[in-house]
Amino acid sequence: MGTKYTFDTKLMYLDTNEGPNSLFGMGNPLLDISAVVDKDFLEKYGLKPNDQILAEDKHKALFEEIVKNFQVEYHAGGATQNSIKIAQWMIQEPHKVSTFFGCIGEDRFGEILKQKAEEAHVDAHYYEQTEEPTGTCAACITGDNRSLVANLAAANCYKKDKHLDLEKNWSLVEKAKVYYIAGFFLTVSLESILKVAKHAAENNKLFTMNLSAPFISQFFRDALMEVIPYVDVLFGNETEAAMFSKEQHFETEDIEEIAKKTQALPKVNMKRQRVVVFTQGKDATIMTRGGDKVEMFPVLKIDHKDIVDTIGAGDAFVGGFLSELVQDKDLEDCVKAGHYAANVIIRQAGCTFPDKPDFH
């Protein structure tokens, strides 16, 4: 008997006991610095209320100013690390189901990140270097909106040959059965992503990715399109989907059509149909896994006054989704878990969560 595959409700049938290091993530570890700011602050630095950008020279003073003039909170962050952390929180036991790779500096912020990963029971293996300090991300909150400015610093310095290729690290990649990398990492190490993606395809494991932000589809299109053929599950939100459609000349702004066209793009591992999942904030999440059918999943209702901030809602959705995927649950359950995790996260400041989930 070989391994049995189905495309109805599941992506795979494998051993359903998710052991240590079953879920692998690689990305940009950042220390999040979040604060409620005012419109003047946004205007001063040319920020849109709801956006994600990489810091330029004109933003360098922003990080000091936000700490000096506003009440800030620090959290271990970075999109992929958030999702991996939330997946582990959803699973609870065993600890260290989730592995995370990324680059940090040998400094105080790096030590805080290591401590936070340990507290979250994530098996983090950071490449530590002295050229650049640990990366930071300022979350500038106004009302329900948040504008993220990331100064990647050390996160930009990840090196395949110095870390991923080392036998002790690569063995952790080989242990995993589900892989997740946010599109943001395309700006750092395409060769690392491709090595992991090819391993997943060759071994019929699940490789998942996120469009992450409109600028990825726009300015890193070539790198993104090198990886897309390996992607088994692609995540994104409505603005990222719209930009992806524009850059791919899909000639449609209809999110269901974009999902179908994205699902039909060329694929390396033909044993699996690609699944495309697009979230739309408070509107229904859409999913397609082939053919003309697009499924809609309404999100959990939440009173507007209960929303603390929406930072990390997208990361939380992915984390919830992955927590069920790595346990080989139906895709419907994966979406439900994603909605649950996002609903919890938006009631908290930053990408933080209570001690235990209340999902099942």
Side-chain angles (χ1 to χ4, degrees), residues 29-31 103-111 113 129 132-136 151-155:
L30 304 174
L31 190 68
C103 182
I104 61 174
E106 290 185 13
D107 51 29
R108 188 172 67 89
F109 283 168
E111 290 305 315
L113 278 182
Q129 48 72 61
E132 288 278 348
T134 298
T136 48
N151 181 27
L152 295 182

Side-chain angles (χ1 to χ4, degrees), residues 110-129:
E111 290 305 315
I112 293 172
L113 278 182
K114 285 195 273 189
Q115 181 194 327
K116 296 282 184 189
E118 191 68 34
E119 286 169 9
H121 307 301
V122 170
D123 195 16
H125 294 260
Y126 298 116
Y127 168 49
E128 297 180 50
Q129 48 72 61

Side-chain angles (χ1 to χ4, degrees), residues 23 39 82 114 124 143 172 184 190 219 271 297-298 327-328 342:
L23 174 62
K39 282 199 173 115
N82 280 341
K114 285 195 273 189
L172 290 168
F184 291 125
L190 174 61
F219 302 118
K271 290 177 182 165
F297 298 90
Q327 297 177 78
D328 194 32

Side-chain angles (χ1 to χ4, degrees), residues 26-167:
M26 181 166 61
N28 301 334
L30 304 174
L31 190 68
D32 282 346
I33 305 168
S34 58
V36 174
V37 301
D38 50 39
K39 282 199 173 115
D40 292 346
F41 184 80
L42 295 185
E43 282 168 17
K44 179 176 177 181
Y45 289 103
L47 303 176
K48 295 176 191 164
N50 207 11
D51 203 9
Q52 295 170 328
I53 63 165
L54 294 177
E56 297 168 32
D57 283 346
K58 68 178 181 184
H59 300 117
K60 287 285 151 59
L62 177 151
F63 297 92
E64 284 176 26
E65 187 177 335
I66 198 170
V67 170
K68 202 170 85 181
N69 295 347
F70 300 96
Q71 195 174 349
V72 301
E73 286 191 21
Y74 296 105
H75 300 287
T80 304
Q81 188 166 232
N82 280 341
S83 295
I84 293 297
K85 193 169 68 172
I86 284 159
Q88 180 65 54
W89 170 71
M90 290 283 287
I91 292 165
Q92 291 283 308
E93 300 278 346
H95 292 165
K96 300 195 172 178
V97 168
S98 302
T99 314
F100 179 76
F101 286 6
C103 182
I104 61 174
E106 290 185 13
D107 51 29
R108 188 172 67 89
F109 283 168
E111 290 305 315
I112 293 172
L113 278 182
K114 285 195 273 189
Q115 181 194 327
K116 296 282 184 189
E118 191 68 34
E119 286 169 9
H121 307 301
V122 170
D123 195 16
H125 294 260
Y126 298 116
Y127 168 49
E128 297 180 50
Q129 48 72 61
T130 51
E131 302 281 302
E132 288 278 348
T134 298
T136 48
C137 179
C140 311
I141 303 160
T142 50
D144 289 342
N145 294 316
R146 44 94 176 112
S147 194
L148 302 182
V149 187
N151 181 27
L152 295 182
N156 246 335
C157 301
Y158 190 83
K159 299 278 187 289
K160 173 177 166 288
D161 58 332
K162 296 269 174 63
H163 194 262
L164 186 67
D165 291 345
L166 302 186
E167 198 177 328

